[in-house]
Amino acid sequence: MTYWGVSAMSHDAALAVYQNDKIVYASHGERYSRIKNDQNLHAEQISEALQYGRPERVFFYENTTKKKTRQARSGQYRLLFKESPSTYMKKLGVDVPVTMFDHHYSHAAYGYYSSGLYQETCDVLVIDSIGEFETISVWRGRHGKLHKAWSQDYPHSVGLWYSAMTQRLGLKPQEHEYILMGMAALGDPGRFYQTIRDDFFECLPGHNNPEVRFRENLHRGCLWWRRDLVNVQDYVDIAAAVQKIYEEIFVGILSWMSKITESDQVAIVGGCALNCVANTLAYNFYERVWIPPNPGDAGSSIGAIMAALEKPVVVHDAYLGTEINGEYPFQDVLQDLEGRGISAVASGPAEFGPRALGHRSILADPRLLGIKDQVNKIKQREEFRPFAPMILREHAARYFHLPRTDFDAPYMQYAIPCISPQLYPGITHIDGTSRVQTVDRCHGNVRTLLERWYERTGCPMLLNTSLNIKGEPLVNTREDAERWSVVHGLAVRTAK
Amino acid sequence: MIKWVKERIQKWRKRRERKRKLKELAEKDPFIYD
């Protein structure tokens, strides 16, 4: 039995293939078109998926009929004439029945059924810009079934507000929110905290009420807000205040959720679940926190399949995309790291998700002074932006203040305070935190690479960043890797 | 009859004005999300 899960026609198009009780393939449209957050699937991607046979049915990640009702209400009239998912798939040569699921249900299903908590109780928090109407929803998973406990509707959307503020800072909304999050550590949150609260919010969530209400509909951004604030210091202070308020909202909802349920486990999904600084705060309310590797809309391609089957589906790891066949180039990478202190690798199946987890990565020795500047220069990124470390899981507690002893972050979803930030400036942000990836057996070759690096140097950690430059999607194929080597002057070690 | 025509014209003008305003808004501040 083969099913496809599809997320497309809006942003972050993705395609997942389910066969024999497991996800055998999943990939992002952007990796084929080389357009960041591309909304379309591509012929090459479809033909890769067809290698597993024709699907019997396609599960679509949102209900476009409901969505059009909301678009009509918000005045997005042109979008009402957009084709249906069924017509869209037919144009791609896949003429099979298409079933649609609600946007937040697809998210929630992905969070719950991938959490490994199928038989237990687990709360699910979905928080993003907009689904059809929903912007935040809280679900309870019990005995394998999901029930919606509470939701909040458009136009009151935390995700939209965060994106609007991103745009207000001169960044690209729905793409550069992570830059705002990084900028926040440089600013003084107190300077604009009260102003932003007063100007935008009617009420914020708390222990007794999860509701967030805005004074304005921010669907068209908020470029009108405080046009007098134009210098860099203003911008970083705004970013700091925005992040602080977002964390307060996040904590308020979790506090309410943990009060009304007896569960000590939570899954967090939706685009806002990529806010790794806030995510760590969930450990103050729950014993176990699960964030799947691709919590945004692209991950809902898997979520739609899980929503349809209403059961857990085996997703072995996040390496589900285009394969670069051959042996992982351990020797070449280690030689580069010991020589120049920096290496690039493209080997095995590509990561399905926004983070490079060692199959399409630039790796560097985190102990070297100036390594951050060197990598930032290659990647053409802003100087202030930090890099993430990947570390052997059993060594993580020696280097980081983990929120729990059994803490695990296989997909880089939490910002954790570093014990000695001065020793590893390349992987520590200005606030002394790092977005850690703990490397375990599930990481396969990446684990072996890190073990060999540890044997040679006594350091269980490597700087790990995505193999791309700013504004570009991750390298996907062997040809992409070769092109990247030539253009950016750093040899990419590919599978042999 | 004349009253009816006047009303129709008024309605049509109102609708045209609303459309113009929406178009202006869309050019100035487009939606940041679908």
Side-chain angles (χ1 to χ4, degrees):
Chain A
M1 202 178 289
T2 307
Y3 295 133
W4 284 10
V6 169
S7 142
M9 298 163 63
S10 175
H11 62 94
D12 293 305
L15 168 62
V17 178
Y18 165 90
Q19 199 169 51
N20 303 329
D21 285 331
K22 62 181 180 189
I23 300 295
V24 288
Y25 172 87
S27 63
H28 293 261
E30 64 169 29
R31 308 268 169 91
Y32 300 84
S33 64
R34 313 303 302 155
I35 300 166
K36 192 96 172 145
N37 299 337
D38 191 2
Q39 60 167 321
N40 289 313
L41 298 176
H42 294 276
E44 210 179 318
Q45 190 179 12
I46 298 284
S47 66
E48 276 181 17
L50 283 172
Q51 285 170 8
Y52 298 92
R54 282 195 85 76
E56 285 170 39
R57 189 171 276 275
V58 168
F59 300 121
F60 198 73
Y61 82 120
E62 65 183 2
N63 185 325
T64 50
T65 317
K66 274 191 194 173
K67 189 175 177 175
K68 280 181 182 176
T69 319
R70 190 257 300 154
Q71 286 167 336
R73 204 183 116 186
S74 54
Q76 296 169 287
Y77 302 118
R78 276 188 194 168
L79 298 173
L80 302 180
F81 301 102
K82 233 179 184 178
E83 62 205 341
S84 71
S86 178
T87 316
Y88 181 78
M89 293 310 294
K90 264 182 208 162
K91 277 188 185 169
L92 288 165
V94 183
D95 188 3
V96 295
V98 176
T99 311
M100 299 187 280
F101 293 91
D102 284 1
H103 190 106
H104 273 222
Y105 182 50
S106 298
H107 274 312
Y110 183 39
Y112 178 52
Y113 294 117
S114 67
S115 63
L117 304 168
Y118 181 63
Q119 295 302 339
E120 303 168 49
T121 58
C122 174
D123 293 345
V124 183
L125 170 62
V126 183
I127 178 163
D128 66 2
S129 287
I130 331 169
E132 290 84 11
F133 282 94
E134 288 166 335
T135 60
I136 306 173
S137 61
V138 173
W139 303 71
R140 281 182 203 165
R142 273 171 206 204
H143 313 300
K145 295 278 176 205
L146 266 173
H147 307 280
K148 198 194 294 176
W150 174 81
S151 68
Q152 181 172 281
D153 281 356
Y154 175 85
H156 301 285
S157 165
V158 181
L160 268 187
W161 165 70
Y162 204 95
S163 291
M165 295 310 281
T166 303
Q167 188 190 36
R168 174 61 188 84
L169 299 187
L171 301 165
K172 195 173 170 194
Q174 300 300 331
E175 189 175 322
H176 289 158
E177 283 74 10
Y178 62 96
I179 301 181
L180 186 154
M181 185 180 71
M183 277 167 75
L186 305 167
D188 166 19
R191 194 172 151 217
F192 293 114
Y193 174 80
Q194 203 55 47
T195 318
I196 294 177
R197 273 194 69 154
D198 293 344
D199 290 353
F200 289 102
F201 293 92
E202 251 173 37
C203 81
L204 289 175
H207 202 52
N208 295 315
N209 173 31
E211 225 178 332
V212 193
R213 294 196 78 79
F214 289 84
R215 291 187 193 283
E216 305 279 344
N217 181 345
L218 299 168
H219 204 162
R220 290 181 187 273
C222 61
L223 292 173
W224 44 265
W225 183 72
R226 294 290 305 269
R227 286 178 194 270
D228 55 311
L229 304 172
V230 284
N231 67 44
V232 175
Q233 192 55 48
D234 293 338
Y235 279 19
V236 291
D237 288 343
I238 293 171
V242 168
Q243 179 62 22
K244 190 180 173 197
I245 295 170
Y246 173 74
E247 285 170 25
E248 273 185 22
I249 294 169
F250 186 71
V251 163
I253 298 169
L254 286 173
S255 150
W256 174 80
M257 282 170 66
S258 62
K259 190 185 152 198
I260 60 154
T261 64
E262 290 127 29
S263 176
D264 55 3
Q265 309 177 106
V266 69
I268 305 168
V269 229
C272 295
L274 288 165
N275 193 313
C276 58
V277 180
N279 288 347
T280 316
L281 302 170
Y283 278 98
N284 296 337
F285 301 93
Y286 287 91
E287 291 284 306
R288 193 180 158 192
V289 180
W290 165 249
I291 301 170
N294 202 348
D297 282 4
S300 285
S301 55
I302 295 181
I305 295 172
M306 291 175 170
L309 302 176
E310 291 192 309
K311 64 173 190 176
V313 172
V314 181
V315 190
H316 282 302
D317 47 42
Y319 306 120
L320 292 162
T322 302
E323 176 103 29
I324 297 184
N325 286 313
E327 266 182 47
Y328 198 90
F330 296 110
Q331 205 49 40
D332 294 344
V333 174
L334 289 168
Q335 263 175 12
D336 286 348
L337 287 169
E338 283 175 331
R340 279 184 70 179
I342 185 166
S343 182
V345 63
S347 177
E351 291 87 345
F352 180 60
R355 314 275 180 241
L357 302 171
H359 280 200
R360 303 287 188 275
S361 288
I362 296 174
L363 304 170
D365 184 347
R367 300 166 302 172
L368 299 179
L369 277 174
I371 194 70
K372 181 174 151 183
D373 297 336
Q374 209 182 323
V375 183
N376 262 332
K377 199 174 164 195
I378 292 171
K379 293 198 61 167
Q380 302 169 15
R381 302 195 328 170
E382 297 84 356
E383 279 171 25
F384 69 86
R385 284 176 56 199
F387 289 106
M390 60 179 186
I391 186 167
L392 291 171
R393 188 186 173 190
E394 60 274 25
H395 292 277
R398 277 174 46 213
Y399 294 84
F400 301 99
H401 292 291
L402 305 182
R404 290 180 52 80
T405 45
D406 59 347
F407 174 78
D408 198 11
Y411 311 117
M412 287 189 183
Q413 282 139 332
Y414 309 93
I416 308 291
C418 186
I419 291 174
S420 309
Q422 68 285 358
L423 294 180
Y424 303 97
I427 51 98
T428 319
H429 199 19
I430 197 158
D431 60 359
T433 62
S434 301
R435 195 184 63 201
V436 182
Q437 176 195 358
T438 54
V439 177
D440 218 329
R441 301 273 160 222
C442 70
H443 291 95
N445 286 327
V446 181
R447 167 90 193 179
T448 313
L449 175 77
L450 210 49
E451 279 172 351
R452 290 189 191 174
W453 171 250
Y454 178 54
E455 274 167 28
R456 289 183 185 207
T457 62
C459 174
M461 190 159 49
L462 279 171
L463 180 155
N464 175 18
T465 183
S466 46
L467 181 54
N468 62 352
I469 59 158
K470 191 190 163 198
E472 260 189 12
L474 274 183
V475 157
N476 198 39
T477 60
R478 197 182 284 274
E479 294 71 41
D480 289 344
E482 281 162 9
R483 207 175 311 128
W484 199 92
S485 300
V486 175
V487 175
H488 303 293
L490 177 66
V492 178
R493 304 301 183 180
T494 47
K496 291 183 171 171
Chain B
M1 179 70 182
I2 294 170
K3 196 182 164 198
W4 181 82
V5 171
K6 271 185 180 171
E7 266 175 17
R8 298 294 298 176
I9 291 172
Q10 221 167 22
K11 267 188 186 174
W12 173 77
R13 277 193 180 143
K14 240 184 186 175
R15 211 162 48 224
R16 194 180 60 169
E17 182 62 11
R18 189 168 161 268
K19 267 189 184 171
R20 193 189 60 77
K21 272 187 183 165
L22 273 175
K23 203 178 163 190
E24 220 176 72
L25 196 64
E27 275 162 14
K28 201 174 113 229
D29 290 325
F31 288 101
I32 57 172
Y33 194 81
D34 282 357

